[in-house]
Amino acid sequence: MFNGRSAIVTGSTSGIGLGIAEALAVQGANVMLNGFGNANEIKKTRTRLEAEYGVRVTYSGADARPAEQIATMVAEAERQLGGVDILINNAGIQHVSPVDAFPKRQMGPDHRDQPVVQLSHDPRSAGA
């Protein structure tokens, strides 16, 4: 389906992003992985994907926030993969903590005074 096409998948060194990158590779797409992580593990992932699916897999450690780094990543993909046909924007930062301890700064500037999650359960309102 994607034979000869090239893709950048941000946030693809693990989790959902890696799953997306692998799904594209299965379909014949060359892929540029992107994200943070252990360099040895990323190299192993690249090698595995190339061997299993016969596609080219490259890597960029660009931070997906600064525009300059994104521009450099795209230029690298164009040079290394011959172009970019598919772009999957999957990058994000994961912060794990109990809801009541979740720092509001993690929500960004538009949510500083908002609760992270409002949980309420009143069995009477559910007809129970």
Side-chain angles (χ1 to χ4, degrees), residues 3 16 21-22 24-25 35 41 50 53 57 70 76 78 91 109 117 123:
N3 287 336
I16 294 170
E22 188 158 359
L24 290 165
E41 291 300 315
E50 287 181 333
Y53 306 115
V57 180
I70 296 299
E76 288 174 3
E78 289 174 335
V117 178

Side-chain angles (χ1 to χ4, degrees), residues 9 14 21-22 66 68 79-80 88 90:
V9 183
S14 65
E22 188 158 359
E68 307 81 38
R79 187 177 68 256
Q80 295 172 6
I88 307 290
N90 176 71

Side-chain angles (χ1 to χ4, degrees), residues 44-108:
K44 287 179 190 177
T45 299
R46 288 180 55 215
T47 301
R48 178 183 64 80
L49 293 174
E50 287 181 333
E52 285 184 27
Y53 306 115
V55 298
R56 180 143 188 214
V57 180
T58 63
Y59 169 72
S60 169
D63 185 328
R65 293 171 291 181
E68 307 81 38
Q69 289 191 38
I70 296 299
T72 299
M73 177 176 62
V74 171
E76 288 174 3
E78 289 174 335
R79 187 177 68 256
Q80 295 172 6
L81 302 176
V84 177
D85 303 296
I86 303 162
L87 173 62
I88 307 290
N89 290 309
N90 176 71
I93 300 293
Q94 181 178 9
H95 180 84
V96 180
S97 73
V99 172
D100 60 346
F102 197 91
K104 289 182 182 179
R105 71 179 184 282
Q106 294 295 106
M107 293 295 293

